[in-house]
Amino acid sequence: MPESKAISFIFVLLLALQSKSFSQISDSTYYHLEDTLERLLDQIDDDEMEFSSEEYAQYLMEMLANPINVNNASLDELLRVPGMKPVSAGNIVAHRKEKEFMNLDDLLSIDGIDISNLEKMRSFVSVENKQSQASYANPSYWTQDGRFEVISRYQQVLEQLNGYQSADDSSSSRYVGSPVRYYQRFNYRSNHLALNFTQLKAPGETLENPFTFDFNSGHLAITNIGMLKMLVLGDYGLYFGQGLVVRTGRSFGKGTEVSKFRENERGVRPYQSAGKTQAKKGAAFTYGDKIQTTLFYSTRKLSATVIGGDSIHFPGSTGLHRTQNELNRRNNTTLQTIGGRIRYRYDRGSIGLSGYQAEFSKYIVPGEAVHNLYDFKGVKAGAGGIDYMIIVNNFLFFGEAARSMNGGRGLISGLNYSIGPTILSLTFRNYGKDLQSVFGNGFSESSKLQNEEGVYLAFQHTSGKKVKVSSYFDQYNFKAPRIGMRQPSRGYDWLIKAEYRVLRDMQINLQIRNKKREGEFPVLNDTENEVHAIDYTQRGSIRVQLDYQLNPVLRSRTRVERLRGKSAGEPKEYGTLVYQDFRWKATSRLLVDTRLTVFDTKSFVSRVFQFENDMLYMMTNQALFDGGQRFYILLRYQAVSIWDIWVKYGVTVYEDRMTVGSGLDESMGNTRSNIGIQMRLKF
């Protein structure tokens, strides 16, 4: 493959030009990153977040390796820093006009920043001037603060799954490849240059040699060259406004980090994740300073189910090609996209206009269910919108209005208010039932960015170093049938979390959450005909967690959670989770994470979730149901300063079960175990 050979040559050349080694990230900084991600992900009740969380983890690691300089960072960049309040970001911009910051402690003079906030931000910001004085023709200009990283990862379920056994009827009813999941990434980053090549073989997919990975992603990016802010060739993501027009990856909305509720503008970003269908593939650039212009073009192959002739269903989001049927439709559709954005920025805000037009090579036919009535159909799709962000005193106002090509409209508007240790957030959203923003990914309750109206209110208060209280309430309506419904419905969701630091090394957290929405179930009426009655579905939980740093090398974490679940037309059922977690720094080079979990639920309805420590850039939210125990152990070993190794083994043992999983992923017995090994070289 000529492309891979060319990329390999460039990587070797850049490595030879390196003037210094990759800066080592301290353990405490790494733990802080992990906690930041856990706060974002732990509120999400699903296990399909892998690729979006991977991308966000990589983004934070970039920020750790190359902290944002508060003396010249834009308002957007400051707002991305974990722990940064909107009012504080605006005050930093105003302060540095009069006087530059000499050290990080100078940030304590900014209204809204106390010692607690500063400690959260310290690893992600700097006061150094990293502007290079070298000319573009000097190789050192392009390699300044360069970091080269190679990651190789192997994962596998150890039980024999049905999909890998020989099939008697036809080859289409089994997986064509091995159960191994293999991932590798070559990545280079400097102040002005980014180069990446990622490959993934999912379980069930084939891999005959290093050039036949099912998924290959790469990019070459140039950043911050005068007025040229970003130029990407290859795979890239788009993060505009509040995500109503276009946003790559998942939107992290609800949660206890109130100051990070709104989507942060990131513009065009080189794409590093292994999500197969999320990125654009082509070219994009952003040029300008106060007035920035962005243009992008993408053409990529997608896989879709053929209905007949040139008609298909909307391409799936997994991009998996494991069975013969999936291989038959591999890359059978081409999607071309062209679009742009113009944005005016000033010291305390911005306003932007975005739009795109996309064309599929085949005609899209929606499903026949009632909830598919307003879904996109046709060949051409498009959307446009206007977004804004304004900081006025202690208020941050933000919003976006969008319109899709078919005339559907959507709106989100909100504010954040910060005063001392208190943050309030209020947001209103109204997405029309006919909104067809096929690349949109904004804040919403449902999986589609359409047919939803809601009001979200969030609150956070910190009292000194000991107490932090966070809460939110979200009420929403679906004016047309949503998935699983034949009529309009409504619901609400609320959460309260209190964190109390009992001692310097001991913290206890209490979290109460409840989610309730209308659902349907079949009943017989007086004439013995089946009708669908309205009831409600519910998931509520109460959680207590104790973190205790027993000594400098051993941390204990204990969690007890009780959950109540209910399906429409069914009685309530309950679930319980208890786990004991230890983190042991065995030596200066070896870190051990281990956990034993006991869970007991009646069914999937009362399932419980737990966020698990995992290999670098991986975030796992494990769903557990029925009854049993789960154990995992994760080892992180730094063999030498440039070589890290991760090994994870996990096993779930179920009670009163003879099989685990379903369909092709079913295995005999009552256990499901997996192993993962990851190696990283960094220079």
Side-chain angles (χ1 to χ4, degrees):
M1 182 182 285
E3 299 96 320
S4 63
K5 292 180 180 179
I7 290 175
S8 299
F9 172 76
I10 297 174
F11 275 129
V12 173
L13 177 62
L14 291 170
L15 187 58
L17 291 171
Q18 284 300 98
S19 60
K20 64 178 183 178
S21 64
F22 187 93
S23 57
Q24 179 66 34
I25 296 174
S26 68
D27 285 339
S28 60
T29 299
Y30 181 81
Y31 302 156
H32 176 46
L33 178 145
E34 187 180 79
D35 290 342
T36 300
L37 286 166
E38 182 170 358
R39 285 177 176 274
L40 287 172
L41 304 179
D42 202 31
Q43 310 302 326
I44 302 174
D45 273 1
D46 68 45
D47 53 356
E48 299 177 354
M49 66 177 71
E50 176 183 353
F51 299 123
S52 294
S53 61
E54 174 198 359
E55 185 185 11
Y56 192 70
Q58 291 169 347
Y59 172 71
L60 289 181
M61 288 292 286
E62 277 186 47
M63 200 185 302
L64 285 172
N66 193 17
I68 289 175
N69 185 355
V70 295
N71 281 323
N72 58 28
S74 67
L75 185 64
D76 292 329
E77 291 172 325
L78 291 172
L79 287 171
R80 297 173 202 155
V81 175
M84 180 71 72
K85 299 177 183 178
V87 64
S88 302
N91 290 339
I92 287 174
V93 173
H95 180 277
R96 70 190 185 198
K97 286 184 175 181
E98 305 296 330
K99 182 181 179 182
E100 285 193 343
F101 297 97
M102 302 303 296
N103 56 66
L104 290 181
D105 289 338
D106 288 347
L107 291 173
L108 293 173
S109 64
I110 298 299
D111 184 27
I113 297 181
D114 55 23
I115 294 177
S116 177
N117 293 119
L118 182 58
E119 291 308 309
K120 291 180 181 179
M121 297 185 293
R122 189 179 292 275
S123 301
F124 299 96
V125 295
S126 73
V127 294
E128 299 176 8
N129 188 341
K130 295 192 174 184
Q131 298 298 319
S132 174
Q133 301 301 315
S135 67
Y136 300 160
N138 190 332
S140 64
Y141 178 87
W142 300 99
T143 60
Q144 183 182 22
D145 291 334
R147 305 171 301 281
F148 181 68
E149 181 180 65
V150 180
I151 289 179
S152 181
R153 181 189 303 147
Y154 156 89
Q155 295 170 278
Q156 183 176 349
V157 173
L158 299 180
E159 283 74 23
Q160 178 71 48
L161 305 183
N162 286 346
Y164 301 100
Q165 299 175 7
S166 60
D168 296 330
D169 50 348
S170 71
S171 60
S172 64
S173 61
R174 69 180 299 272
Y175 295 139
V176 296
S178 74
V180 172
R181 175 188 177 89
Y182 184 66
Y183 165 97
Q184 63 182 20
R185 182 164 73 102
F186 306 87
N187 185 265
Y188 179 84
R189 286 288 186 277
S190 70
N191 286 352
H192 303 290
L193 185 64
L195 190 64
N196 182 84
F197 186 55
T198 299
Q199 295 179 298
L200 172 68
K201 173 213 171 300
E205 295 178 337
T206 59
L207 179 62
E208 297 177 0
N209 58 65
F211 305 109
T212 59
F213 279 84
D214 187 81
F215 174 76
N216 297 275
S217 172
H219 64 250
L220 171 65
I222 297 173
T223 63
N224 296 321
I225 306 297
M227 297 286 280
L228 181 63
K229 302 305 179 183
M230 179 68 69
L231 170 64
V232 185
L233 303 176
D235 292 80
Y236 60 90
L238 301 172
Y239 307 85
F240 296 156
Q242 296 301 302
L244 266 60
V245 174
V246 59
R247 187 185 190 280
T248 302
R250 181 161 191 159
S251 172
F252 296 109
K254 302 177 188 179
T256 57
E257 289 301 299
V258 176
S259 62
K260 294 301 172 193
F261 163 70
R262 56 173 294 276
E263 297 296 346
N264 289 320
E265 175 82 20
R266 293 167 61 188
V268 178
R269 300 287 302 179
Y271 188 74
Q272 303 179 66
S273 175
K276 290 189 173 186
T277 63
Q278 300 176 17
K280 300 290 183 289
K281 186 182 292 288
F285 74 86
T286 298
Y287 184 87
D289 187 17
K290 285 192 173 183
I291 299 178
Q292 292 187 344
T293 301
T294 298
L295 294 176
F296 57 90
Y297 171 78
S298 170
T299 179
R300 65 168 303 149
K301 298 289 187 178
L302 297 171
S303 302
T305 300
V306 177
I307 298 181
D310 284 338
S311 297
I312 59 174
H313 281 313
F314 198 90
S317 60
T318 65
L320 295 173
H321 306 109
R322 304 160 299 175
T323 65
Q324 191 59 50
N325 286 336
E326 290 176 347
L327 283 171
N328 290 341
R329 58 177 179 260
R330 183 177 188 268
N331 296 338
N332 62 355
T333 304
T334 301
L335 172 61
Q336 288 193 85
T337 307
I338 187 170
R341 175 169 172 80
I342 185 168
R343 186 168 182 243
Y344 172 70
R345 306 187 308 164
Y346 64 101
D347 288 347
R348 287 185 172 266
S350 66
I351 185 170
L353 295 169
S354 306
Y356 69 85
Q357 179 170 302
E359 183 172 354
F360 294 89
S361 61
K362 296 183 179 180
Y363 191 89
I364 304 295
V365 178
E368 297 179 353
V370 177
H371 67 262
N372 296 126
L373 181 62
Y374 299 98
D375 287 356
F376 169 75
K377 64 179 178 180
V379 173
K380 291 186 178 181
I386 180 171
D387 59 89
Y388 67 91
M389 177 188 68
I390 305 170
I391 295 178
V392 180
N393 297 323
N394 291 345
F395 289 90
L396 181 145
F397 300 92
F398 60 91
E400 182 171 8
R403 184 180 187 274
S404 53
M405 184 178 289
N406 68 321
R409 291 179 171 83
L411 169 70
I412 184 169
S413 185
L415 63 88
N416 279 64
Y417 174 67
S418 302
I419 180 169
T422 302
I423 305 174
L424 293 172
S425 182
L426 175 64
T427 304
F428 169 78
R429 62 190 185 277
N430 188 353
Y431 310 141
K433 58 187 179 183
D434 56 346
L435 178 64
Q436 296 176 356
S437 182
V438 296
F439 299 139
N441 199 342
F443 173 68
S444 65
E445 170 63 23
S446 58
S447 58
K448 297 179 181 179
L449 197 66
Q450 64 175 197
N451 183 35
E452 182 174 326
E453 180 179 339
V455 177
Y456 172 91
L457 176 64
F459 165 85
Q460 185 180 97
H461 178 77
T462 303
S463 179
K465 297 182 179 180
K466 288 193 173 186
V467 179
K468 180 179 179 180
V469 179
S470 307
S471 66
Y472 70 75
F473 179 82
D474 186 32
Q475 182 170 339
Y476 38 84
N477 300 300
F478 307 102
K479 296 183 178 180
R482 58 176 176 85
I483 295 177
M485 296 287 291
R486 295 168 177 79
Q487 53 194 304
S489 57
R490 58 186 178 180
Y492 63 84
D493 185 3
W494 59 264
L495 176 145
I496 299 175
K497 183 175 182 180
E499 304 170 61
Y500 177 58
R501 186 164 295 280
V502 184
L503 302 170
R504 177 183 176 184
D505 298 322
M506 179 186 292
Q507 179 170 303
I508 186 169
N509 301 334
L510 172 65
Q511 177 177 294
I512 305 174
R513 184 179 184 182
N514 190 48
K515 184 174 185 176
K516 188 174 182 179
R517 17 184 229 191
E518 292 178 333
E520 289 182 344
F521 69 102
V523 296
L524 296 177
N525 61 14
D526 295 338
T527 60
E528 298 299 313
N529 292 319
E530 185 179 277
V531 296
H532 292 84
I534 287 286
D535 193 14
Y536 67 91
T537 64
Q538 184 178 23
R539 280 181 58 79
S541 65
I542 180 167
R543 173 192 300 175
V544 179
Q545 179 173 304
L546 176 66
D547 290 14
Y548 185 27
Q549 191 72 38
L550 299 169
N551 56 52
V553 299
L554 185 63
R555 185 206 69 181
S556 167
R557 172 174 290 176
T558 306
R559 174 180 293 182
V560 178
E561 185 165 5
R562 180 69 168 168
L563 184 136
R564 179 178 61 188
K566 183 183 182 304
S567 293
E570 299 292 335
K572 297 175 183 177
E573 56 184 71
Y574 296 86
T576 302
L577 175 144
V578 179
Y579 75 58
Q580 179 58 57
D581 179 294
F582 289 103
R583 167 168 286 167
W584 176 37
K585 189 173 183 180
T587 70
S588 60
R589 295 183 178 272
L590 177 62
L591 181 69
V592 181
D593 279 294
T594 185
R595 177 182 299 170
L596 176 62
T597 303
V598 178
F599 59 95
D600 182 19
T601 79
K602 185 176 181 180
S603 71
F604 182 77
V605 173
S606 50
R607 65 195 179 277
V608 288
F609 288 84
Q610 64 172 17
F611 177 94
E612 291 187 1
N613 304 107
D614 217 316
M615 296 174 286
L616 184 65
Y617 300 135
M618 291 194 64
M619 303 295 148
T620 305
N621 207 17
Q622 189 81 32
L624 301 169
F625 57 94
D626 292 342
Q629 305 85 41
R630 176 165 173 80
F631 169 81
Y632 76 82
I633 183 169
L634 172 67
L635 308 178
R636 177 194 176 194
Y637 181 66
Q638 186 181 49
V640 293
S641 61
I642 63 170
W643 186 20
D644 294 315
I645 302 172
W646 287 260
V647 178
K648 182 177 181 180
Y649 170 76
V651 58
T652 306
V653 180
Y654 294 92
E655 299 174 356
D656 302 323
R657 291 180 64 170
M658 300 302 295
T659 62
V660 178
S662 61
L664 296 183
D665 292 324
E666 184 181 56
S667 63
M668 300 301 294
N670 68 333
T671 64
R672 178 59 59 90
S673 55
N674 51 73
I675 188 170
I677 302 172
Q678 177 173 293
M679 293 184 290
R680 177 180 69 157
L681 288 172
K682 59 184 187 297
F683 303 94

